Amino acid sequence: MNAIGQTLEGKTLALKIKEELKKEVAELKEKFNCAPLLSAVQIGDNPSAEVYFKSQKKCADELGVLYQRHQLPADIAQDEFFAFLDSLNKDKNVSAVFVQMPLPKQIDARQFSGHMFPDKDAEGMHPENLGRLFFGKARIIPCTAAAVMELLKSTGVNLYGKEAVIVGHSEIVGKPLSLLLLEQFATTSVCHIATGERGLTQEHVGKAEVLVVAVGRAHLIKGSWIKEGAIVVDVGINKLGDKIVGDVEFEEAAKRASWITPVPGGVGPLTVTMLMRNLIEAAKLKIK
Ligand code: NAP
C-alpha cells in the first residue's frame, strides 16, 4: 500500500478521462458522421438537481457532444411520460436519455426503468443492462458505481483477493458496485441498515482493505474504525451546518487510510464524466 492518506481527487482523474473521451467523440464524428446527443429529462422543479444539469451541460460542451434538456410538468400522467420516452427512444438523433430521479409518485419507478430502450439508457439502470452487469458483460454501467471503480483503478492497487466492504446497498450505488468489485475478485461484503441495527458496521469496516461508503449520513463511519492502509471512497454528500461533508470522518480517517476521497471533490466530479462515457458507449452501440 502507499504512503498514509493520499487524496484521491476525482477532478484530476475526470480531466484525464475526458481527454480520452474527446478523442472518441472526434472519431465518431469523423469516421461515422455521428454526433452523440444526450437528452436530459426533468419532471417538475427540483432546484437541487439544477447543479447536476449544469455540470452535465458543461461536460457535454467540453467533450463536443450535443445536449438537450426537457422539462415536463410535475403532474404528468405515467402514460403521457412513457409516450414522451417512446418518442426519445424512436428519435434517431438521440443517442442516450437521462431522467432525473426521484420520479413523482404517480410514476412507477420499476415500470420506468424497463420502459427505456436499453441501448439509450444513459444511467445503466434498465434490467437488461443490470443483467449484463450481473454476467460481467456490462456495456453501460451505473454512473456512480463506475466512478468508484475508476477511482480505485487510479490507485494502481490490484483488487484481486482484497477485503472490500461497501456500506449502503442502494440500487444505484451499493448493489451495482458489489458486482463490479466481485468481477475484480475482491472479497466483497455489503453492509446495510440491518448491519447497523446489529451494531456490526464497525467490525466490517475494521477489516476493509477497500472501503466504499454510500449511505447519506454525515460522519456515520468514524475515522478510528478505518483499517491502517485502507483505500477509502466516500460517496456520501451531506450538509452539516454550512459545510458539505461525506459519510466518513475525513480528518481521522485520512490518518489511517492509504488513499481517501475528499467530499466534495472525490466521487462527484467523476459521476458526470461516467454519464458522458455511457452516452458515447450508447452512440457506438447505435453504429454497431
Ligand atoms: P439511498 O438510495 O438513500 O441509499 C442509502 C443506503 O444506505 C440504503 O441502502 C440504506 O439501506 C443504507 N443505510 C441507511 N442507513 C444505514 C446504516 N446506518 N448503515 C448502513 N447502511 C445504511 O442513497 P444513494 O442514492 O445510494 O446515495 C447515498 C449517498 O451518496 C447520498 O449522500 C447521496 O447524496 C450520495 N451520492 C453521491 C453521488 C456522487 O456523485 N458523489 C452519487 C449518488 C449518490 P436501506 O435502504 O435498507 O435503509
Side-chain angles (χ1 to χ4, degrees):
M1 293 271 182
N2 291 278
I4 292 296
Q6 291 194 63
T7 309
L8 260 179
E9 291 283 355
K11 220 171 181 174
T12 323
L13 184 56
L15 283 174
K16 200 173 141 212
I17 296 172
K18 277 191 267 189
E19 285 311 309
E20 290 159 18
L21 294 180
K22 272 183 204 167
K23 286 182 204 150
E24 292 191 39
V25 173
E27 197 177 306
L28 279 170
K29 285 181 183 169
E30 272 167 36
K31 283 196 184 160
F32 303 99
N33 195 26
C34 164
L37 164 62
L38 180 67
S39 270
V41 181
Q42 182 176 18
I43 307 180
D45 267 338
N46 177 359
S48 61
E50 215 42 51
V51 182
Y52 195 42
F53 282 115
K54 276 195 183 133
S55 68
Q56 286 177 6
K57 170 81 173 86
K58 183 168 172 277
C59 195
D61 289 347
E62 281 168 14
L63 298 180
V65 297
L66 303 171
Y67 184 80
Q68 61 180 205
R69 198 170 150 185
H70 304 276
Q71 182 81 41
L72 304 179
D75 60 353
I76 190 167
Q78 178 166 290
D79 288 355
E80 221 178 316
F81 172 55
F82 286 172
F84 180 74
L85 276 185
D86 285 340
S87 70
L88 296 179
N89 282 340
K90 283 182 199 141
D91 187 335
K92 287 194 169 63
N93 294 317
V94 174
S95 315
V97 180
F98 165 87
V99 178
Q100 179 64 38
M101 295 291 147
L103 296 170
K105 56 181 180 310
Q106 71 272 18
I107 295 168
D108 183 305
R110 290 263 178 261
Q111 280 193 50
F112 153 71
S113 62
H115 206 90
M116 189 93 85
F117 182 43
D119 287 2
K120 289 193 179 186
D121 165 29
E123 293 213 283
M125 292 304 292
H126 184 282
E128 184 181 314
N129 288 322
L130 293 174
R132 285 179 179 277
L133 192 66
F134 183 88
F135 291 113
K137 302 273 180 213
R139 303 178 306 195
I140 301 177
I141 303 173
C143 306
T144 312
V148 172
M149 291 308 287
E150 283 299 331
L151 284 160
L152 293 177
K153 194 168 127 194
S154 74
T155 65
V157 173
N158 187 354
L159 297 175
Y160 192 91
K162 287 277 182 305
E163 286 289 339
V165 175
I166 303 167
V167 185
H169 68 159
S170 73
E171 290 176 3
I172 64 159
V173 192
K175 282 184 188 172
L177 186 61
S178 67
L179 294 172
L180 292 166
L181 285 167
L182 279 175
E183 215 179 299
Q184 298 301 313
F185 288 92
T187 306
T188 307
S189 313
V190 184
C191 300
H192 41 68
I193 191 73
T195 322
E197 281 168 6
R198 287 196 63 201
L200 295 175
T201 310
Q202 178 177 356
E203 190 180 319
H204 284 279
V205 167
K207 68 177 168 92
E209 294 170 295
V210 174
L211 175 69
V212 183
V213 188
V215 172
R217 290 237 193 122
H219 297 165
L220 173 76
I221 306 299
K222 307 301 166 208
S224 60
W225 297 359
I226 306 296
K227 188 182 173 74
E228 289 282 344
I231 304 173
V232 179
V233 178
D234 189 351
V235 181
I237 303 172
N238 311 286
K239 217 161 175 239
L240 194 66
D242 56 358
K243 281 175 76 181
I244 299 291
V245 300
D247 291 350
V248 180
E249 276 183 350
F250 181 84
E251 276 78 17
E252 268 313 295
K255 291 179 192 161
R256 305 171 70 83
S258 58
W259 295 90
I260 184 164
T261 54
V263 177
V267 180
L270 265 179
T271 305
V272 69
T273 309
M274 294 298 104
L275 182 72
M276 293 301 153
R277 190 167 77 178
N278 282 347
L279 164 69
I280 293 162
E281 191 56 39
K284 285 188 202 160
L285 288 172
K286 199 172 77 174
I287 292 166
K288 279 179 198 158

